[in-house]
Amino acid sequence: MTDPRETMTPASTDLAAAAGPMRIELAPVRNQWWDVWDQFRRHRGAMIGAAFFIFILLFAYVGPQVWRVDPGYLNIQARGTSQMIACFGVGGAARDSVAAYEAAIAAGGAVQDNPPRRLGVGGYFGAMTGCFADPEGFSAAFEPFKDRRIKVSWAHPLGTDQKGTDTLAWLMSGGQTSISVGLTAMLLSILIGTLVGVVAGYFKRLDGILMRMTDLFLALPLLPLLLVMVMLFRQSLSSAFGPETGIFILIVVAIGVTSWMPTARIVRGDVLALKEHEFVLAARSIGTRPGRIIRRHIIPNVMSPIMVAATLGIANAIITESALSFLGLGFPSDYPSWGRLLNDGVQFMQQNPERVLWPGLAISLTVLSVNYMGDGLRDALDPRIRGQ
Amino acid sequence: MFDAPATSRKLVEIRDLKMHFPIYKGVFRTRAGAVKAVDGVSFDIYEGETLGLVGESGCGKSTCGRAILRLYDITEGSILMDGVEIGPTPQARLRGMRPKMQMVFQDPQASLNPRMTVQAIIQEPLDEHTTLSAAEKREKVLELMDAVGLNRRFAGRYPHAFSGGQRQRIGIARALALNPRFIVCDEPIAALDVSIQAQVVNLLEDLQRDFGLTYLFISHDLSMVRHIATRVAVMYLGKVVELAGREPLYAEPLHPYTQALLSAVPEADPAMHDDARRIILRGDVPSPANPPQGCNFCTRCPRVMEICRQIDPEYRELRPGRFVACHLYNDDPTTAGATAAPSEATEPQQGE
């Protein structure tokens, strides 16, 4: 690593040697975070995860600037629109519909109730292109076939729900809610969990009481507790911070204070083991104060389990938020989030499977990408793995 | 070399040091007793000397070293560090004393934080106790690395990139950072290869000469202690059983335990090896939570007497600079020296 410097300036090293050991040319002190970044870049999964997470962020926060459809607008005429993918003929319905479309055209509007089942590849392809090129016309021609009707439109590429709100717009602004709730609640939960875990592990005196408190929280029935919290504080928070911010704070706090326990237990266990390491004893023999020992020696060495807990925490927070919304205790029903989208779609899963497909995919891919990022970050922060 | 240390000034005086770890039992965690890891130890360490502390595993050597540095809250006793009593002082007020007394640890792997660079590790004492600027600290760290024979280029590396011997050098550099006067070396070579052991011991000796350090050298390697120590204390089950200058102790061990311990030193010469008559101790070391009545060694002593099972022998100065705790020497101190060394035990030692 440092060799190029030497070969470039052999004269200076000779001089240094002549002048004594004091002036050996040293490589400039490099910021450690560059090493971390170098290692992170080498983790393929982490890079893909990071790229996807950035994509999701852009989708949720910049997307609405591009796709300027108000997620709150109810377009009654467009309600029940399928997504454009339906044109590919998912599930065989469109194959029949293509035939029906051709038959309808051939009959000049006269409707045949029993369209032919078989269709050549060319006809299928042609019909599909027709569907993509003119979805409205396709839908109109298909209108008479009651049970096989298909409704698609480029105005709603991901379709609409039963009230006529645009799924794509909803997915975008729902992403904002879910990601911000997920990240904030995870941060809060990690913060409480790490604090309790480190204090309980390091200070023996507080161990018993803190861990019994953790057990108490673990033993609480969470859902009723959340319900009570929401009932009690919804009004006061809404009036103090406005309905949306109030609910946001309430949900984040509710999820945060009910999900820190596993983190606290894991961190405590690790701290108990770390505390006995000789480097902590060495720090004590130097006279380092407990606060600094914790910051300098304990916390960096429990980063791995914290990181894992954090990535899992995001998933947990997003899902808990959706459960709350499902029970009608989360955000108001006209306020989009991935969880609500998912729960709304469940009733229509038979007819419109894509209504649960997209939010479900968004949640799981976000969680997966955060997981991979956490994995890469954990490796990058460990100097033993770094540089290998 | 010297029976008496070069200077007669006492740097550390330890009187009746006790370190008991409580045992809690049952549902209500009631105190059921204590592990008497160190149970009434008294000795002095003179300025500039190396006091070797030897004994088998679990006899309380390391605990004793840590207790002297007040890494534990000791149960009882007095520790005078350079004239200042630090025995009962609360931890918070010890901070000011810390720069004077430092420690080198046994496991060089475990004693360095894997997440810190060498620079940060050696700098930690400077961060805690000095107000130097970042550049001054960096320069000081590089000087320390020179002093312990580490390449300056390695300052930005992490401990895992070093060999055991190099890691131990990092640990020594950290201990030296604040110009201490007293260093407890807690088995600093036990985890190292034999070839590296010599390097580290020589480094410790060089540093002692250059910086005027005083060592408490804890080890179970009797030949290494013989090499480095000025005086040697032998511990058994939480007590010092014998303390003497290096040469007298190795030439003429008084306490039966010391005799047994020294007879166990491997003999390099094959001819001598076949000749060596070893004292084989029977039985196991009693639990420090439940030491026997009377002398701690009475359960295994080859020369046990009735009195040993009843009365704990007093630790006393038999001759100037020669301490022993054994009933064999309590009745008639004048003849003790003659009867002290059973010939079969000392023969192999004298050959060295």
Side-chain angles (χ1 to χ4, degrees):
Chain A
M1 259 198 308
T2 50
D3 286 345
R5 292 184 63 89
E6 257 190 17
T7 46
M8 274 166 65
T9 57
S12 73
T13 42
D14 285 349
L15 267 176
M22 292 311 292
R23 275 292 118 219
I24 296 174
E25 195 59 43
L26 289 162
V29 193
R30 192 163 177 254
N31 193 330
Q32 283 176 32
W33 292 106
W34 284 112
D35 293 337
V36 173
W37 170 237
D38 279 351
Q39 177 66 30
F40 186 81
R41 265 195 329 195
R42 275 200 266 169
H43 196 296
R44 188 191 300 253
M47 284 312 279
I48 295 173
F52 186 79
F53 192 67
I54 289 170
F55 167 73
I56 287 278
L57 286 180
L58 287 177
F59 174 75
Y61 288 92
V62 183
Q65 309 298 320
V66 180
W67 184 253
R68 308 181 80 90
V69 174
D70 181 3
Y73 176 63
L74 303 180
N75 185 355
I76 308 257
Q77 283 163 353
R79 69 178 202 268
T81 306
S82 297
Q83 57 182 321
M84 287 303 292
I85 293 179
C87 283
F88 281 117
V90 188
R95 197 181 63 184
D96 291 347
S97 67
V98 167
Y101 177 55
E102 284 179 346
I105 304 252
V111 171
Q112 235 182 313
D113 217 326
N114 223 351
R117 291 265 162 189
R118 287 175 165 277
L119 201 72
V121 176
Y124 175 73
F125 185 76
M128 199 173 70
T129 340
C131 174
F132 274 114
D134 179 20
E136 281 86 1
F138 192 94
S139 305
F142 205 69
E143 193 61 32
F145 297 89
K146 294 169 194 79
D147 56 333
R148 304 234 169 84
R149 71 173 50 137
I150 184 166
K151 192 173 176 186
V152 282
S153 164
W154 277 118
H156 304 287
L158 293 186
T160 60
D161 69 358
Q162 76 282 3
K163 290 178 302 218
T165 49
D166 182 49
T167 307
L168 181 60
W170 192 303
L171 207 56
M172 284 173 177
S173 48
Q176 292 179 11
T177 321
S178 288
I179 291 173
S180 52
V181 166
L183 286 178
T184 328
M186 174 273 285
L187 278 179
L188 185 69
S189 136
I190 290 300
L191 211 67
I192 302 175
T194 308
L195 187 75
V196 171
V198 167
V199 170
Y202 194 81
F203 301 102
K204 205 172 177 205
R205 207 176 282 267
L206 297 170
D207 189 18
I209 183 161
L210 282 177
M211 289 332 278
R212 292 302 79 73
M213 194 179 85
T214 310
D215 290 347
L216 181 89
F217 267 85
L218 273 171
L220 285 174
L222 283 192
L223 223 44
L225 180 79
L226 287 173
L227 302 192
V228 170
M229 280 178 76
V230 173
M231 294 291 187
L232 286 179
F233 300 115
R234 180 178 232 161
Q235 282 306 315
S236 47
L237 279 169
S238 291
S239 53
F241 297 100
E244 278 162 20
T245 323
I247 291 290
F248 181 83
I249 294 173
L250 180 62
I251 287 183
V252 162
V253 170
I255 296 174
V257 298
T258 52
S259 63
W260 55 269
M261 294 80 75
T263 317
R265 295 181 119 189
I266 295 167
V267 168
R268 169 186 173 263
D270 270 33
V271 170
L272 278 180
L274 267 176
K275 198 171 67 163
E276 300 304 322
H277 270 66
E278 280 188 334
F279 63 80
V280 175
L281 199 66
R284 277 174 52 209
S285 80
I286 286 164
T288 311
R289 293 196 175 92
R292 288 223 192 148
I293 291 184
I294 287 173
R295 250 184 302 146
R296 200 180 282 159
H297 298 287
I298 303 277
I299 299 275
N301 282 293
V302 289
M303 275 318 275
S304 307
I306 293 178
M307 226 36 127
V308 174
T311 53
L312 295 176
I314 291 187
N316 181 44
I318 291 178
I319 289 160
T320 312
E321 185 271 322
S322 72
L324 278 179
S325 301
F326 183 66
L327 291 170
L329 291 155
F331 290 102
S333 58
D334 57 343
Y335 195 74
S337 86
W338 286 344
R340 170 159 298 282
L341 209 55
L342 196 61
N343 286 316
D344 284 354
V346 167
Q347 308 162 37
F348 300 90
M349 210 151 66
Q350 294 283 322
Q351 301 97 309
N352 281 8
E354 74 272 8
R355 282 190 59 187
V356 289
L357 185 76
W358 287 113
L361 212 58
I363 292 176
S364 36
L365 285 181
T366 307
V367 168
L368 195 66
S369 69
V370 172
N371 249 323
Y372 268 106
M373 275 162 61
D375 196 30
L377 200 57
R378 189 191 60 193
D379 285 0
L381 285 175
D382 189 340
R384 280 165 294 192
I385 294 171
R386 204 153 70 214
Q388 272 174 19
Chain B
M1 228 166 293
F2 306 102
D3 280 6
T7 60
S8 54
R9 205 178 96 80
K10 291 174 182 171
L11 185 67
V12 187
E13 290 175 61
I14 295 138
R15 290 290 169 271
D16 203 26
L17 177 68
K18 285 185 186 169
M19 184 65 235
H20 295 180
F21 296 100
I23 306 169
Y24 297 101
K25 268 192 183 152
V27 186
F28 300 104
R29 317 304 296 162
T30 47
R31 197 173 156 163
V35 175
K36 294 167 181 162
V38 178
D39 196 20
V41 161
S42 305
F43 55 82
D44 301 324
I45 304 172
Y46 293 92
E47 196 163 15
E49 79 164 342
T50 301
L51 178 68
L53 188 58
V54 298
E56 62 197 280
S57 297
C59 71
K61 307 183 294 286
S62 292
T63 309
C64 182
R66 291 174 185 190
I68 292 170
L69 290 189
R70 283 300 316 280
L71 294 177
Y72 298 130
D73 287 327
I74 59 172
T75 312
E76 222 182 285
S78 131
I79 304 164
L80 274 181
M81 182 70 62
D82 202 14
V84 182
E85 173 64 53
I86 60 166
T89 318
Q91 290 290 344
R93 282 175 49 205
L94 279 172
R95 207 176 118 84
M97 289 290 292
R98 293 278 177 213
K100 278 189 190 173
M101 44 188 199
Q102 285 293 311
M103 187 153 181
V104 175
F105 291 88
Q106 173 174 8
D107 185 349
Q109 167 97 52
S111 65
L112 306 175
N113 185 343
R115 308 246 165 181
M116 284 165 82
T117 60
V118 172
Q119 166 83 33
I121 288 170
I122 304 179
Q123 193 178 302
E124 188 179 2
L126 302 173
D127 289 336
E128 287 301 318
H129 289 282
T130 64
T131 52
L132 300 174
S133 73
E136 285 170 325
K137 278 180 197 164
R138 182 164 169 78
E139 192 49 41
K140 172 86 179 157
V141 168
L142 294 177
E143 281 170 23
L144 284 164
M145 290 179 71
D146 288 343
V148 298
L150 278 173
N151 192 325
R152 285 179 166 221
R153 286 184 208 289
F154 298 162
R157 296 197 187 172
Y158 289 87
H160 70 86
F162 293 91
S163 70
Q166 286 172 320
R167 283 185 203 146
Q168 197 56 284
R169 285 171 196 266
I170 300 169
I172 294 171
R174 171 177 59 190
L176 286 177
L178 294 167
N179 299 321
R181 302 182 57 191
F182 175 58
I183 297 184
V184 173
C185 305
D186 184 6
E187 309 212 28
I189 53 170
L192 303 178
D193 280 353
V194 179
S195 55
I196 309 295
Q197 286 185 354
Q199 288 180 17
V200 170
V201 164
N202 288 340
L203 172 68
L204 285 170
E205 285 184 321
D206 292 345
L207 294 171
Q208 181 168 42
R209 202 173 47 240
D210 296 345
F211 295 95
L213 299 170
T214 305
Y215 290 143
L216 175 64
F217 192 88
I218 299 168
S219 180
H220 55 244
D221 184 339
L222 293 164
S223 353
M224 201 51 97
V225 168
R226 186 171 197 178
H227 173 75
I228 194 171
T230 1
R231 294 189 307 146
V232 180
V234 182
M235 269 186 92
Y236 181 78
L237 208 62
K239 290 187 173 173
V240 172
V241 294
E242 186 165 1
L243 191 158
R246 171 184 50 179
E247 289 310 326
L249 185 98
Y250 278 81
E252 183 201 24
L254 294 183
H255 196 282
Y257 179 66
T258 318
Q259 291 163 6
L261 200 63
L262 290 181
S263 84
V265 174
E267 179 55 63
D269 182 348
M272 301 282 276
H273 176 85
D274 294 342
D275 254 9
R277 263 161 288 174
R278 308 200 184 280
I279 303 171
I280 311 289
L281 294 179
R282 309 227 168 261
D284 286 324
V285 186
S287 159
N290 186 21
Q293 199 195 349
C295 175
N296 271 353
F297 192 49
C298 71
T299 53
R300 304 172 76 198
C301 184
R303 305 177 63 194
V304 63
M305 301 180 292
E306 203 41 52
I307 188 172
C308 302
R309 301 191 200 278
Q310 282 145 20
I311 300 164
D312 192 15
E314 192 195 347
Y315 172 74
R316 59 195 198 93
E317 193 162 15
L318 195 65
R319 282 175 244 149
R322 188 102 221 228
F323 296 82
V324 68
C326 183
H327 286 300
L328 284 175
Y329 308 103
N330 276 358
D331 298 325
D332 190 1
T334 48
T335 57
T339 58
S343 53
E344 79 274 12
T346 46
E347 263 170 18
Q349 303 302 329
Q350 284 164 341
E352 286 183 0

